[in-house]
Amino acid sequence: AHAAGAVVAYLANPDNPTGHVFSAAEVTALRSALPPACTLLLDEAYIDFAPAHALTTRLPNTVQTRTLSKAWGLAGLRLGYALASPEWVVKADTVRTQFSASSVSHYLVEKVLDAPGFSSKLVHETIILRNRLRDALVARGCRVLPSATNFVAILYPDAEQAAERHKALLALGIAVHRPPHAAMQRLLRVSASPLALDPAVIDILAASPP
């Protein structure tokens, strides 16, 4: 950032698609190491699954973006929010798209936010599913990366093995994510869900190479 004169630095915490999470102390150290004029854009879409690593104070020149898609179960609405300084919020409000969310979306968000324990219950149940999925895959010999999100990332020996499993699942109408970047194509990201624990899905994910 110093050498390039960067005006924005981006960090996803927890990370997608690996599931890795940095501690609040590590994020704070990153902020301190950046040039003061460089804005830190902190993507916290999955932070509800790793609350112990959440920032407890606002950092200077830092924008934290969050979503209602994960821990609140509203992925179809595509809604989120930002935590930032008042000055940044005022500026963002002048350039944001007007009427970007419908009245129906607003109504549903209010209902969910007013429901006691809704998010915490969903997060708790999802973490249980994630851990069960991790254990099932590890028991079959898969290399599963540590995850602080609502998914697990499986790292295969090469891109070809990941691609074969990806295609086999698609043939069953099941979509898992295979990152398009060349350096990440040996990885499959699998969301924690009851379907992912189906023996047929586990068999494909953990199948020995031909």
Side-chain angles (χ1 to χ4, degrees):
H2 286 276
V7 296
V8 176
Y10 172 86
L11 176 67
N13 194 50
D15 179 64
N16 177 17
T18 67
H20 178 77
V21 63
F22 293 99
S23 69
E26 290 173 311
V27 174
T28 301
L30 171 63
R31 173 63 272 177
S32 298
L34 291 171
C38 178
T39 298
L40 175 59
L41 181 57
L42 191 57
D43 181 346
E44 295 184 321
Y46 297 94
I47 198 63
D48 294 292
F49 297 93
H53 300 288
L55 294 172
T56 56
T57 59
R58 300 276 81 80
L59 299 180
N61 200 12
T62 298
V63 178
Q64 298 164 249
T65 59
R66 297 185 179 181
T67 180
L68 299 174
S69 296
K70 317 299 181 186
W72 296 92
L74 296 176
L77 298 186
R78 316 306 295 173
L79 289 179
Y81 60 97
L83 304 173
S85 67
E87 296 80 9
W88 190 93
V89 173
V90 169
K91 181 64 176 178
D93 197 43
T94 64
V95 297
R96 71 177 175 86
T97 303
Q98 293 186 353
F99 312 114
S100 57
S102 69
S103 57
V104 174
S105 295
H106 287 158
Y107 173 80
L108 292 174
V109 169
E110 289 177 1
K111 284 292 185 182
V112 169
L113 294 179
D114 287 340
F118 175 84
S119 177
S120 59
K121 182 175 183 292
L122 179 59
V123 168
H124 176 72
E125 293 174 348
T126 302
I127 290 175
I128 291 174
L129 284 171
R130 184 196 69 200
N131 292 343
R132 288 179 58 198
L133 178 59
R134 175 202 62 202
D135 293 346
L137 291 167
V138 169
R140 295 287 297 274
C142 291
R143 181 181 176 187
V144 180
L145 302 180
S147 176
T149 65
N150 65 349
F151 60 80
V152 299
I154 310 167
L155 193 62
Y156 293 97
D158 53 55
E160 289 73 19
Q161 291 191 40
E164 288 173 2
R165 290 159 176 78
H166 190 219
K167 292 177 182 177
L169 289 170
L170 285 175
L172 294 179
I174 300 171
V176 299
H177 180 60
R178 182 167 175 246
H181 193 283
M184 301 292 288
Q185 290 198 340
R186 52 190 289 229
L187 182 147
L188 291 182
R189 187 195 71 193
V190 184
S191 296
S193 70
L195 177 59
L197 286 162
D198 187 291
V201 174
I202 298 295
D203 284 344
I204 291 173
L205 291 170
S208 299

